[in-house]
């Protein structure tokens, strides 16, 4: 069984999607549609500047466009539809576009608004995020339970959890965690994503999402909030909103997919972050990053050989 994975913020890079554009008709059509929806997006992806591409408002639609284009190139090359799909944070939106839950154009417009609203929810400097390594998630939860202003944002792998909240709360949590020999790495982000501080963004996006028609996906897409697949459009709409203020339960999602019988995980888009997380979370499975036509061709050839 196959699961399609779609990355979130942090996977972007200058030149993303160019090889897909040049080597796949289906990917080129997808990226041309993205450019028509958000003029200037391709230039930013291919030429930068990097600091502008890193902005949340630009990063989110760029990653969605490239993830969708890679998926279309894979299908064009003869790849089979996945049995399941999952996306990390923003990647959940890409997964739903790939599954046909919403159109590419609607997805791009919505995630640009999502990025804009998330950036504006908290003044720069007020919030913070940090990756915590070498401490099990359960232990981390116990250690930060009494600290005001900090929450778990991402359960990325058994040895990597991300915390989010006010700058003061994250700083206090960092001191406590380092006292228990954790390695804490501040993240260069502009807002405290996946925390209750993002509630203003969630409320603003609700109005935008309510005007867009959603369809049952072609294949089940996992919810970051539930760590379970969801196929009902009304529930998907609500879960995409809840996702903004809730933790990404990535470890549980991967474990559940393996329990379902998934042996092959294919990451579509830019970078190899999720491929790495699969390797650090699961044993006895294969994970491949498909960022260009050559990697897609090599993957399909290997799959054909069993």
């Amino acid at each position: 069984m196959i699961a399609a994975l779609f990355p979130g913020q942090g996977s972007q890079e200058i030149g993303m999607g160019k090889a897909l554009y040049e080597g796949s008709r289906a990917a080129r059509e997808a990226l041309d549609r993205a450019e028509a929806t958000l003029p200037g997006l391709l230039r930013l992806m291919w030429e930068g500047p990097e600091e502008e591409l890193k902005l949340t408002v630009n990063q989110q639609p760029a990653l969605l466009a490239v993830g969708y284009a890679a998926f279309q190139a894979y299908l064009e090359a003869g790849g089979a539809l996945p049995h399941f799909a999952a996306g990390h944070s923003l990647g959940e939106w890409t997964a739903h576009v790939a599954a046909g839950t919403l159109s590419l154009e609607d997805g791009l417009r919505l995630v640009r608004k999502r990025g804009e609203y998330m950036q504006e929810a908290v003044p720069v400097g007020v919030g913070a995020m940090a990756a915590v390594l070498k401490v099990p998630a359960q232990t981390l939860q116990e250690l930060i339970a009494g600290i005001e202003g900090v929450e778990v944002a991402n359960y990325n792998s058994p040895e990597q959890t991300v915390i989010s909240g006010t700058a003061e709360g994250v700083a206090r949590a960092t001191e406590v965690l380092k006292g228990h020999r954790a390695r804490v790495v501040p993240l260069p982000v502009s807002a405290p994503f996946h925390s209750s501080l993002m509630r203003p963004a969630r409320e603003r996006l609700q109005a935008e999402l309510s005007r867009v028609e959603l369809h049952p996906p072609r294949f089940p897409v996992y919810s970051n909030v539930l760590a379970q697949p969801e196929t009902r459009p009304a529930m998907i709409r609500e879960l995409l909103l809840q996702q903004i203020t809730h933790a990404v339960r990535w470890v549980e999602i991967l474990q559940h997919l393996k329990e379902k019988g998934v042996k092959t995980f294919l990451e579509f888009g830019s970078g190899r972050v999720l491929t790495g997380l699969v390797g650090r979370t699961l044993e006895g499975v294969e994970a491949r990053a498909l960022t260009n036509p050559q990697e897609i061709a090599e993957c399909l050839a290997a799959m054909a050989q069993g």
Side-chain angles (χ1 to χ4, degrees), residues 238-257:
E238 177 59 28
L239 290 168
L240 286 173
L241 292 170
Q242 289 184 24
Q243 183 215 58
I244 295 175
T245 55
H246 285 62
V248 176
R249 297 166 62 183
W250 194 247
V251 172
E252 291 176 79
I253 288 172
L254 294 182
Q255 291 171 339
H256 194 267
L257 283 166

Side-chain angles (χ1 to χ4, degrees), residues 174-297:
T174 297
E175 292 179 10
V176 171
L177 291 164
K178 284 184 175 179
H180 286 76
R181 299 185 178 180
R183 181 185 172 203
V184 184
V185 181
L187 298 180
V189 296
S190 54
F193 304 131
H194 296 290
S195 75
S196 55
L197 295 175
M198 289 288 103
R199 186 166 295 279
R202 171 175 163 177
E203 293 171 352
R204 293 175 70 186
L205 189 62
Q206 182 174 12
E208 302 285 346
L209 188 53
S210 68
R211 293 193 286 266
V212 173
E213 184 178 7
L214 302 187
H215 307 278
R218 292 188 289 173
F219 39 80
V221 176
Y222 272 71
S223 159
N224 283 193
V225 175
L226 300 178
Q228 295 284 341
E230 181 54 68
T231 59
R232 295 168 293 175
M235 278 299 299
I236 291 169
R237 191 187 306 272
E238 177 59 28
L239 290 168
L240 286 173
L241 292 170
Q242 289 184 24
Q243 183 215 58
I244 295 175
T245 55
H246 285 62
V248 176
R249 297 166 62 183
W250 194 247
V251 172
E252 291 176 79
I253 288 172
L254 294 182
Q255 291 171 339
H256 194 267
L257 283 166
K258 184 180 179 182
E259 290 169 2
K260 286 284 190 179
V262 172
K263 296 292 185 182
T264 302
F265 293 81
L266 304 179
E267 179 178 4
F268 293 93
S270 177
R272 304 172 187 279
V273 172
L274 301 185
T275 300
L277 293 180
V278 171
R280 291 194 288 274
T281 304
L282 304 177
E283 295 182 356
V285 301
E286 180 182 20
R288 288 176 175 263
L290 306 183
T291 67
N292 58 58
Q294 181 178 345
E295 289 178 344
I296 291 170

Side-chain angles (χ1 to χ4, degrees), residues 84-166:
F84 301 98
H88 190 285
S89 189
L90 172 277
E92 187 177 338
W93 289 78
T94 314
H96 276 296
V97 172
T101 311
L102 70 167
S103 70
L104 173 62
E105 290 78 7
D106 283 339
L108 288 166
R109 285 189 286 262
L110 284 166
V111 299
R112 170 151 282 184
K113 289 292 186 182
R114 180 181 185 267
E116 176 185 337
Y117 297 159
M118 290 171 75
Q119 181 62 65
E120 294 175 351
V122 179
V124 175
V126 172
M129 298 181 74
V132 183
L133 310 173
K134 301 185 182 301
V135 173
Q138 181 63 40
T139 302
L140 182 149
Q141 289 175 315
E142 295 170 357
L143 290 172
I144 71 170
I147 302 174
E148 185 177 352
V150 65
E151 306 165 43
V152 174
N154 304 64
Y155 296 94
N156 285 338
S157 76
E159 291 295 322
Q160 184 193 108
T161 306
V162 175
I163 56 175
S164 180
T166 65

Side-chain angles (χ1 to χ4, degrees), residues 1-59:
M1 297 181 77
I2 298 171
L5 306 181
F6 297 90
Q9 288 191 210
S11 292
Q12 80 289 338
E13 61 181 356
I14 299 300
M16 58 194 286
K18 194 165 187 180
L20 288 165
Y21 191 91
E22 295 172 346
S24 164
R25 176 189 56 80
R28 183 165 57 253
E29 290 177 355
L31 291 170
D32 281 341
R33 287 170 61 192
E35 175 67 16
T37 304
L38 301 176
L41 184 63
L42 295 187
R43 178 200 60 77
L44 181 60
M45 286 161 46
W46 296 344
E47 300 176 13
E50 186 175 0
E51 289 306 310
E52 189 175 343
L53 180 60
K54 283 182 179 179
L55 295 175
T56 299
V57 69
N58 294 325
Q59 204 181 139

